[in-house]
PDB file of all heavy atoms in Angstrom:
ATOM      1  N   SER Z 581      94.333  48.360  -2.430  1.00 78.00           N
ATOM      2  CA  SER Z 581      93.093  48.745  -1.750  1.00 78.00           C
ATOM      3  C   SER Z 581      92.034  49.011  -2.836  1.00 78.00           C
ATOM      4  O   SER Z 581      92.349  49.709  -3.823  1.00 78.00           O
ATOM      5  CB  SER Z 581      93.410  49.991  -0.958  1.00 78.00           C
ATOM      6  OG  SER Z 581      92.357  50.911  -1.055  1.00 78.00           O
ATOM      7  N   THR Z 582      90.881  48.371  -2.695  1.00 76.00           N
ATOM      8  CA  THR Z 582      89.810  48.558  -3.714  1.00 76.00           C
ATOM      9  C   THR Z 582      88.500  48.971  -3.077  1.00 76.00           C
ATOM     10  O   THR Z 582      88.324  48.892  -1.878  1.00 76.00           O
ATOM     11  CB  THR Z 582      89.606  47.190  -4.453  1.00 76.00           C
ATOM     12  OG1 THR Z 582      89.223  46.236  -3.436  1.00 76.00           O
ATOM     13  CG2 THR Z 582      90.803  46.708  -5.133  1.00 76.00           C
ATOM     14  N   ASN Z 583      87.686  49.500  -3.976  1.00 78.00           N
ATOM     15  CA  ASN Z 583      86.316  49.778  -3.523  1.00 78.00           C
ATOM     16  C   ASN Z 583      85.469  48.524  -3.708  1.00 78.00           C
ATOM     17  O   ASN Z 583      85.960  47.527  -4.304  1.00 78.00           O
ATOM     18  CB  ASN Z 583      85.729  50.975  -4.267  1.00 78.00           C
ATOM     19  CG  ASN Z 583      85.610  50.755  -5.699  1.00 78.00           C
ATOM     20  OD1 ASN Z 583      85.587  49.610  -6.129  1.00 78.00           O
ATOM     21  ND2 ASN Z 583      85.368  51.850  -6.474  1.00 78.00           N
ATOM     22  N   PRO Z 584      84.171  48.563  -3.308  1.00 74.00           N
ATOM     23  CA  PRO Z 584      83.398  47.337  -3.419  1.00 74.00           C
ATOM     24  C   PRO Z 584      83.250  46.785  -4.845  1.00 74.00           C
ATOM     25  O   PRO Z 584      82.928  45.615  -5.056  1.00 74.00           O
ATOM     26  CB  PRO Z 584      82.072  47.696  -2.755  1.00 74.00           C
ATOM     27  CG  PRO Z 584      82.356  48.850  -1.885  1.00 74.00           C
ATOM     28  CD  PRO Z 584      83.514  49.581  -2.582  1.00 74.00           C
ATOM     29  N   ARG Z 585      83.455  47.635  -5.770  1.00 77.00           N
ATOM     30  CA  ARG Z 585      83.285  47.133  -7.192  1.00 77.00           C
ATOM     31  C   ARG Z 585      84.677  46.649  -7.718  1.00 77.00           C
ATOM     32  O   ARG Z 585      84.824  46.511  -8.910  1.00 77.00           O
ATOM     33  CB  ARG Z 585      82.766  48.284  -8.046  1.00 77.00           C
ATOM     34  CG  ARG Z 585      81.270  48.482  -7.862  1.00 77.00           C
ATOM     35  CD  ARG Z 585      80.838  49.736  -8.624  1.00 77.00           C
ATOM     36  NE  ARG Z 585      81.468  50.925  -8.124  1.00 77.00           N
ATOM     37  CZ  ARG Z 585      81.059  51.602  -6.962  1.00 77.00           C
ATOM     38  NH1 ARG Z 585      80.090  51.144  -6.290  1.00 77.00           N
ATOM     39  NH2 ARG Z 585      81.764  52.666  -6.635  1.00 77.00           N
ATOM     40  N   ASN Z 586      85.564  46.430  -6.755  1.00 78.00           N
ATOM     41  CA  ASN Z 586      86.901  45.909  -7.172  1.00 78.00           C
ATOM     42  C   ASN Z 586      87.752  46.786  -8.024  1.00 78.00           C
ATOM     43  O   ASN Z 586      88.486  46.342  -8.867  1.00 78.00           O
ATOM     44  CB  ASN Z 586      86.750  44.476  -7.749  1.00 78.00           C
ATOM     45  CG  ASN Z 586      87.950  43.605  -7.525  1.00 78.00           C
ATOM     46  OD1 ASN Z 586      88.706  43.914  -6.514  1.00 78.00           O
ATOM     47  ND2 ASN Z 586      88.162  42.573  -8.334  1.00 78.00           N
ATOM     48  N   VAL Z 587      87.488  48.092  -7.863  1.00 86.00           N
ATOM     49  CA  VAL Z 587      88.275  49.082  -8.678  1.00 86.00           C
ATOM     50  C   VAL Z 587      89.248  49.619  -7.599  1.00 86.00           C
ATOM     51  O   VAL Z 587      88.886  49.937  -6.462  1.00 86.00           O
ATOM     52  CB  VAL Z 587      87.455  50.173  -9.189  1.00 86.00           C
ATOM     53  CG1 VAL Z 587      88.292  51.295  -9.848  1.00 86.00           C
ATOM     54  CG2 VAL Z 587      86.430  49.599 -10.167  1.00 86.00           C
ATOM     55  N   GLY Z 588      90.527  49.715  -8.005  1.00 86.00           N
ATOM     56  CA  GLY Z 588      91.562  50.213  -7.074  1.00 86.00           C
ATOM     57  C   GLY Z 588      91.244  51.613  -6.702  1.00 86.00           C
ATOM     58  O   GLY Z 588      90.750  52.453  -7.483  1.00 86.00           O
ATOM     59  N   GLN Z 589      91.541  52.001  -5.469  1.00 88.00           N
ATOM     60  CA  GLN Z 589      91.185  53.314  -5.010  1.00 88.00           C
ATOM     61  C   GLN Z 589      92.297  53.860  -4.129  1.00 88.00           C
ATOM     62  O   GLN Z 589      92.793  53.301  -3.189  1.00 88.00           O
ATOM     63  CB  GLN Z 589      89.922  53.198  -4.154  1.00 88.00           C
ATOM     64  CG  GLN Z 589      89.154  54.420  -4.054  1.00 88.00           C
ATOM     65  CD  GLN Z 589      87.753  54.136  -3.315  1.00 88.00           C
ATOM     66  OE1 GLN Z 589      87.797  53.552  -2.296  1.00 88.00           O
ATOM     67  NE2 GLN Z 589      86.696  54.590  -3.925  1.00 88.00           N
ATOM     68  N   SER Z 590      92.712  55.115  -4.538  1.00 90.00           N
ATOM     69  CA  SER Z 590      93.826  55.735  -3.686  1.00 90.00           C
ATOM     70  C   SER Z 590      93.662  57.258  -3.831  1.00 90.00           C
ATOM     71  O   SER Z 590      92.992  57.721  -4.752  1.00 90.00           O
ATOM     72  CB  SER Z 590      95.168  55.235  -4.185  1.00 90.00           C
ATOM     73  OG  SER Z 590      95.298  55.630  -5.554  1.00 90.00           O
ATOM     74  N   GLN Z 591      94.252  57.914  -2.836  1.00 90.00           N
ATOM     75  CA  GLN Z 591      94.402  59.409  -2.916  1.00 90.00           C
ATOM     76  C   GLN Z 591      95.754  59.757  -3.426  1.00 90.00           C
ATOM     77  O   GLN Z 591      96.735  59.254  -2.926  1.00 90.00           O
ATOM     78  CB  GLN Z 591      94.168  60.024  -1.560  1.00 90.00           C
ATOM     79  CG  GLN Z 591      92.764  59.776  -1.006  1.00 90.00           C
ATOM     80  CD  GLN Z 591      92.558  60.453   0.322  1.00 90.00           C
ATOM     81  OE1 GLN Z 591      93.221  61.457   0.663  1.00 90.00           O
ATOM     82  NE2 GLN Z 591      91.706  59.916   1.157  1.00 90.00           N
ATOM     83  N   VAL Z 592      95.814  60.735  -4.309  1.00 92.00           N
ATOM     84  CA  VAL Z 592      97.090  61.106  -4.832  1.00 92.00           C
ATOM     85  C   VAL Z 592      97.204  62.615  -4.863  1.00 92.00           C
ATOM     86  O   VAL Z 592      96.138  63.312  -5.004  1.00 92.00           O
ATOM     87  CB  VAL Z 592      97.416  60.540  -6.283  1.00 92.00           C
ATOM     88  CG1 VAL Z 592      97.326  59.058  -6.301  1.00 92.00           C
ATOM     89  CG2 VAL Z 592      96.353  61.093  -7.274  1.00 92.00           C
ATOM     90  N   SER Z 593      98.409  63.103  -4.723  1.00 91.00           N
ATOM     91  CA  SER Z 593      98.569  64.592  -4.767  1.00 91.00           C
ATOM     92  C   SER Z 593      98.648  65.062  -6.191  1.00 91.00           C
ATOM     93  O   SER Z 593      98.698  64.284  -7.235  1.00 91.00           O
ATOM     94  CB  SER Z 593      99.850  65.017  -3.975  1.00 91.00           C
ATOM     95  OG  SER Z 593     100.935  64.669  -4.749  1.00 91.00           O
ATOM     96  N   VAL Z 594      98.677  66.399  -6.390  1.00 90.00           N
ATOM     97  CA  VAL Z 594      98.598  67.030  -7.766  1.00 90.00           C
ATOM     98  C   VAL Z 594      99.574  66.457  -8.697  1.00 90.00           C
ATOM     99  O   VAL Z 594      99.193  66.173  -9.832  1.00 90.00           O
ATOM    100  CB  VAL Z 594      98.784  68.559  -7.528  1.00 90.00           C
ATOM    101  CG1 VAL Z 594      98.770  69.235  -8.942  1.00 90.00           C
ATOM    102  CG2 VAL Z 594      97.577  69.089  -6.677  1.00 90.00           C
ATOM    103  N   ASP Z 595     100.830  66.337  -8.302  1.00 91.00           N
ATOM    104  CA  ASP Z 595     101.881  66.007  -9.275  1.00 91.00           C
ATOM    105  C   ASP Z 595     102.171  64.536  -9.415  1.00 91.00           C
ATOM    106  O   ASP Z 595     103.178  64.130  -9.976  1.00 91.00           O
ATOM    107  CB  ASP Z 595     103.179  66.762  -8.893  1.00 91.00           C
ATOM    108  CG  ASP Z 595     103.100  68.216  -9.253  1.00 91.00           C
ATOM    109  OD1 ASP Z 595     102.408  68.466 -10.228  1.00 91.00           O
ATOM    110  OD2 ASP Z 595     103.670  69.038  -8.497  1.00 91.00           O
ATOM    111  N   TYR Z 596     101.358  63.671  -8.846  1.00 93.00           N
ATOM    112  CA  TYR Z 596     101.603  62.273  -8.881  1.00 93.00           C
ATOM    113  C   TYR Z 596     101.852  61.669 -10.188  1.00 93.00           C
ATOM    114  O   TYR Z 596     102.800  61.021 -10.453  1.00 93.00           O
ATOM    115  CB  TYR Z 596     100.422  61.538  -8.163  1.00 93.00           C
ATOM    116  CG  TYR Z 596     100.483  60.020  -8.116  1.00 93.00           C
ATOM    117  CD1 TYR Z 596     101.374  59.406  -7.245  1.00 93.00           C
ATOM    118  CD2 TYR Z 596      99.724  59.268  -8.897  1.00 93.00           C
ATOM    119  CE1 TYR Z 596     101.493  58.024  -7.166  1.00 93.00           C
ATOM    120  CE2 TYR Z 596      99.829  57.809  -8.852  1.00 93.00           C
ATOM    121  CZ  TYR Z 596     100.664  57.286  -7.975  1.00 93.00           C
ATOM    122  OH  TYR Z 596     100.753  55.920  -7.959  1.00 93.00           O
ATOM    123  N   PHE Z 597     101.000  62.041 -11.192  1.00 94.00           N
ATOM    124  CA  PHE Z 597     101.068  61.389 -12.508  1.00 94.00           C
ATOM    125  C   PHE Z 597     102.347  61.937 -13.249  1.00 94.00           C
ATOM    126  O   PHE Z 597     103.003  61.208 -13.970  1.00 94.00           O
ATOM    127  CB  PHE Z 597      99.876  61.666 -13.327  1.00 94.00           C
ATOM    128  CG  PHE Z 597      98.623  61.092 -12.722  1.00 94.00           C
ATOM    129  CD1 PHE Z 597      97.654  61.910 -12.106  1.00 94.00           C
ATOM    130  CD2 PHE Z 597      98.476  59.714 -12.668  1.00 94.00           C
ATOM    131  CE1 PHE Z 597      96.529  61.383 -11.474  1.00 94.00           C
ATOM    132  CE2 PHE Z 597      97.358  59.102 -12.071  1.00 94.00           C
ATOM    133  CZ  PHE Z 597      96.360  60.009 -11.506  1.00 94.00           C
ATOM    134  N   ARG Z 598     102.638  63.286 -12.942  1.00 93.00           N
ATOM    135  CA  ARG Z 598     103.891  63.834 -13.504  1.00 93.00           C
ATOM    136  C   ARG Z 598     105.103  63.085 -13.040  1.00 93.00           C
ATOM    137  O   ARG Z 598     106.055  62.812 -13.762  1.00 93.00           O
ATOM    138  CB  ARG Z 598     104.011  65.276 -13.203  1.00 93.00           C
ATOM    139  CG  ARG Z 598     103.122  66.063 -14.273  1.00 93.00           C
ATOM    140  CD  ARG Z 598     103.761  67.450 -14.518  1.00 93.00           C
ATOM    141  NE  ARG Z 598     104.018  68.222 -13.269  1.00 93.00           N
ATOM    142  CZ  ARG Z 598     105.186  68.815 -12.992  1.00 93.00           C
ATOM    143  NH1 ARG Z 598     106.168  68.712 -13.818  1.00 93.00           N
ATOM    144  NH2 ARG Z 598     105.342  69.468 -11.799  1.00 93.00           N
ATOM    145  N   ALA Z 599     105.124  62.781 -11.685  1.00 93.00           N
ATOM    146  CA  ALA Z 599     106.282  62.153 -11.090  1.00 93.00           C
ATOM    147  C   ALA Z 599     106.487  60.748 -11.695  1.00 93.00           C
ATOM    148  O   ALA Z 599     107.606  60.307 -11.959  1.00 93.00           O
ATOM    149  CB  ALA Z 599     106.084  62.019  -9.585  1.00 93.00           C
ATOM    150  N   LEU Z 600     105.382  60.100 -12.000  1.00 93.00           N
ATOM    151  CA  LEU Z 600     105.543  58.691 -12.604  1.00 93.00           C
ATOM    152  C   LEU Z 600     105.600  58.728 -14.125  1.00 93.00           C
ATOM    153  O   LEU Z 600     105.848  57.713 -14.715  1.00 93.00           O
ATOM    154  CB  LEU Z 600     104.339  57.836 -12.146  1.00 93.00           C
ATOM    155  CG  LEU Z 600     104.372  57.449 -10.678  1.00 93.00           C
ATOM    156  CD1 LEU Z 600     103.026  56.660 -10.393  1.00 93.00           C
ATOM    157  CD2 LEU Z 600     105.527  56.629 -10.339  1.00 93.00           C
ATOM    158  N   GLY Z 601     105.369  59.889 -14.667  1.00 92.00           N
ATOM    159  CA  GLY Z 601     105.441  59.931 -16.151  1.00 92.00           C
ATOM    160  C   GLY Z 601     104.243  59.225 -16.802  1.00 92.00           C
ATOM    161  O   GLY Z 601     104.349  58.661 -17.862  1.00 92.00           O
ATOM    162  N   VAL Z 602     103.121  59.238 -16.100  1.00 94.00           N
ATOM    163  CA  VAL Z 602     101.895  58.554 -16.671  1.00 94.00           C
ATOM    164  C   VAL Z 602     101.194  59.651 -17.567  1.00 94.00           C
ATOM    165  O   VAL Z 602     100.927  60.715 -17.092  1.00 94.00           O
ATOM    166  CB  VAL Z 602     100.937  58.177 -15.553  1.00 94.00           C
ATOM    167  CG1 VAL Z 602      99.636  57.593 -16.060  1.00 94.00           C
ATOM    168  CG2 VAL Z 602     101.629  57.111 -14.611  1.00 94.00           C
ATOM    169  N   PRO Z 603     100.917  59.248 -18.805  1.00 93.00           N
ATOM    170  CA  PRO Z 603     100.348  60.256 -19.730  1.00 93.00           C
ATOM    171  C   PRO Z 603      98.796  60.509 -19.465  1.00 93.00           C
ATOM    172  O   PRO Z 603      98.086  59.653 -19.041  1.00 93.00           O
ATOM    173  CB  PRO Z 603     100.510  59.631 -21.048  1.00 93.00           C
ATOM    174  CG  PRO Z 603     100.527  58.107 -20.804  1.00 93.00           C
ATOM    175  CD  PRO Z 603     101.178  58.017 -19.477  1.00 93.00           C
ATOM    176  N   LEU Z 604      98.406  61.664 -19.795  1.00 93.00           N
ATOM    177  CA  LEU Z 604      97.001  62.078 -19.701  1.00 93.00           C
ATOM    178  C   LEU Z 604      96.314  61.683 -20.994  1.00 93.00           C
ATOM    179  O   LEU Z 604      96.764  62.098 -22.067  1.00 93.00           O
ATOM    180  CB  LEU Z 604      96.859  63.602 -19.410  1.00 93.00           C
ATOM    181  CG  LEU Z 604      95.421  64.163 -19.175  1.00 93.00           C
ATOM    182  CD1 LEU Z 604      94.919  63.677 -17.889  1.00 93.00           C
ATOM    183  CD2 LEU Z 604      95.506  65.616 -19.211  1.00 93.00           C
ATOM    184  N   ARG Z 605      95.279  60.968 -20.907  1.00 92.00           N
ATOM    185  CA  ARG Z 605      94.501  60.631 -22.251  1.00 92.00           C
ATOM    186  C   ARG Z 605      93.530  61.614 -22.531  1.00 92.00           C
ATOM    187  O   ARG Z 605      93.270  61.972 -23.774  1.00 92.00           O
ATOM    188  CB  ARG Z 605      93.951  59.219 -22.026  1.00 92.00           C
ATOM    189  CG  ARG Z 605      94.955  58.147 -21.846  1.00 92.00           C
ATOM    190  CD  ARG Z 605      95.827  57.887 -23.105  1.00 92.00           C
ATOM    191  NE  ARG Z 605      96.665  56.761 -22.896  1.00 92.00           N
ATOM    192  CZ  ARG Z 605      97.977  56.718 -23.355  1.00 92.00           C
ATOM    193  NH1 ARG Z 605      98.474  57.782 -23.878  1.00 92.00           N
ATOM    194  NH2 ARG Z 605      98.637  55.661 -23.070  1.00 92.00           N
ATOM    195  N   SER Z 606      92.766  62.042 -21.652  1.00 92.00           N
ATOM    196  CA  SER Z 606      91.759  63.056 -21.904  1.00 92.00           C
ATOM    197  C   SER Z 606      91.414  63.877 -20.584  1.00 92.00           C
ATOM    198  O   SER Z 606      91.729  63.388 -19.508  1.00 92.00           O
ATOM    199  CB  SER Z 606      90.459  62.514 -22.493  1.00 92.00           C
ATOM    200  OG  SER Z 606      89.889  61.568 -21.605  1.00 92.00           O
ATOM    201  N   GLY Z 607      90.818  65.029 -20.689  1.00 91.00           N
ATOM    202  CA  GLY Z 607      90.484  65.802 -19.534  1.00 91.00           C
ATOM    203  C   GLY Z 607      91.714  66.512 -18.937  1.00 91.00           C
ATOM    204  O   GLY Z 607      92.518  66.965 -19.738  1.00 91.00           O
ATOM    205  N   ARG Z 608      91.861  66.478 -17.590  1.00 92.00           N
ATOM    206  CA  ARG Z 608      92.899  67.208 -16.984  1.00 92.00           C
ATOM    207  C   ARG Z 608      93.401  66.452 -15.773  1.00 92.00           C
ATOM    208  O   ARG Z 608      92.724  65.549 -15.264  1.00 92.00           O
ATOM    209  CB  ARG Z 608      92.469  68.595 -16.579  1.00 92.00           C
ATOM    210  CG  ARG Z 608      91.317  68.536 -15.499  1.00 92.00           C
ATOM    211  CD  ARG Z 608      91.000  69.967 -14.994  1.00 92.00           C
ATOM    212  NE  ARG Z 608      89.880  69.954 -14.035  1.00 92.00           N
ATOM    213  CZ  ARG Z 608      90.034  69.698 -12.721  1.00 92.00           C
ATOM    214  NH1 ARG Z 608      91.187  69.344 -12.192  1.00 92.00           N
ATOM    215  NH2 ARG Z 608      88.945  69.720 -11.953  1.00 92.00           N
TER     216      ARG Z 608
END
Side-chain angles (χ1 to χ4, degrees):
Chain Z
S581 138
T582 58
N583 66 14
R585 285 171 300 278
N586 210 19
V587 175
Q589 205 172 47
S590 60
Q591 294 180 28
V592 301
S593 72
V594 174
D595 285 328
Y596 179 71
F597 300 107
R598 278 212 304 131
L600 288 178
V602 176
L604 184 69
R605 295 293 184 219
S606 60
R608 62 170 177 86

